[in-house]
Amino acid sequence: MQTHIQTGMRTYPMNSQPSSPAKRKTRSLTFELVEQLSAEIQKGTLISGQKLPTEAAIMARFGVSRTVVREAISKLQAGGLVATKHGIGTFVLVQTDTPAFRINPSQLSTLHDVVALLELRISVETEAAALAAVRRNEGNLRVMQEAMLAFSSAIEAGRDAIAADFQFHHEVARATQNQHFADMMNSLGAQSIPRTRLETTRTLDADRLAYLRRIHQEHESILNAITAQDAESARAAMRTHLSNSRDRHKKGLSSHH
């Protein structure tokens, strides 16, 4: 994946506040830059296939930091407006009159939004897991195993595991050998992993680590079923995994009322 908007499990000193004025300012500058670049793409000032200016050029033009530029580009990627080719640059994607299905970051700002997205993911990814069990190839299995290893290594080291988490789910979709599933996961992006929106400022305490290890075990159950080409077990394992996440966020939703 490309640069991510959020970085998962950051650990802050006891006396620091994650939502500092500086962070809030960075966030607002990021959204301003996203709006300006989005407007230029929509108006055709930046045309389909055009390479975006370099980070340094955008920093100079808009008077913002490298962090703001990278976060803004991440949001544009999540919105389906640009795509980054590693080592080459970031390019404007073709914009059609009929808007493509996408979920913008602003649509994932509350617990209710996240629960709604998880409901969609349950319906799509449960069936994707069953198809993946029937159709997967050795390459798919290898990528899923690599993603699981990256996820495990990251959580044990207290690092961000979101990219690895998304990679696992994306590869399940690819293993269906049905491009529509992969395209849908692409349109959702790493922002579809709930922790990217709601839990990025939490320290990695014992409860959090136990939760992430449980996710890893759930991924393992999905992978085992897909490896065994057991469609029903794969379907059930994916449903359990995503339903657990939905129910956990529903509890958070009820506790906010």
Side-chain angles (χ1 to χ4, degrees), residues 17-222:
Q17 294 297 322
S19 295
S20 64
K23 282 190 175 296
R24 286 196 297 273
K25 183 180 179 187
T26 296
R27 201 151 45 229
S28 65
L29 287 172
T30 298
F31 278 107
E32 285 176 20
L33 182 55
V34 168
E35 285 179 2
Q36 288 173 304
L37 292 174
S38 295
E40 293 189 8
I41 291 170
Q42 301 296 352
K43 286 188 298 184
T45 308
L46 291 169
I47 61 172
S48 298
Q50 183 177 344
K51 185 177 177 181
L52 287 187
T54 63
E55 285 182 356
I58 296 174
M59 288 163 62
R61 179 184 166 194
F62 293 98
V64 294
S65 69
R66 189 176 301 276
T67 298
V68 167
V69 173
R70 288 183 173 176
E71 292 191 356
I73 288 174
S74 240
K75 289 180 185 296
L76 291 172
Q77 288 166 350
L81 295 176
V82 302
T84 296
K85 296 180 182 177
H86 289 297
I88 303 175
T90 299
F91 296 83
V92 178
L93 292 177
V94 174
Q95 304 303 309
T96 62
D97 292 336
T98 305
F101 172 79
R102 68 171 67 105
I103 294 177
N104 295 318
S106 61
Q107 293 173 279
L108 288 172
S109 57
T110 68
L111 276 168
H112 181 79
D113 294 335
V114 172
V115 169
L117 177 56
L118 282 164
E119 289 174 351
L120 173 66
R121 288 185 60 199
I122 288 168
S123 65
V124 172
E125 293 188 62
T126 295
E127 197 57 34
L131 289 172
V134 176
R135 301 174 180 172
R136 93 291 186 279
N137 57 41
E138 292 303 313
N140 298 137
L141 295 179
R142 188 165 55 250
V143 174
M144 285 182 227
Q145 288 161 352
E146 289 169 357
M148 283 189 56
L149 183 60
F151 183 92
S152 179
S153 299
I155 63 174
E156 297 305 327
R159 290 184 284 103
D160 163 32
I162 290 164
D165 195 338
F166 178 73
Q167 183 185 24
F168 177 81
H169 284 272
H170 187 232
E171 193 60 26
V172 171
R174 289 184 68 236
T176 66
Q177 314 308 330
N178 178 331
Q179 190 60 39
H180 296 308
F181 283 98
D183 287 347
M184 176 161 276
M185 287 305 293
N186 271 336
S187 73
L188 296 178
Q191 63 172 352
S192 63
I193 306 299
R195 297 187 305 286
T196 59
R197 297 296 305 174
L198 303 173
E199 301 173 18
T200 56
T201 57
R202 292 187 51 185
T203 56
L204 188 57
D205 56 23
D207 288 345
R208 176 99 179 117
L209 185 57
Y211 165 68
L212 290 168
R213 284 175 175 160
R214 190 164 69 251
I215 287 179
H216 181 67
Q217 289 169 351
E218 291 171 0
H219 283 173
E220 196 166 41
S221 296
I222 296 165

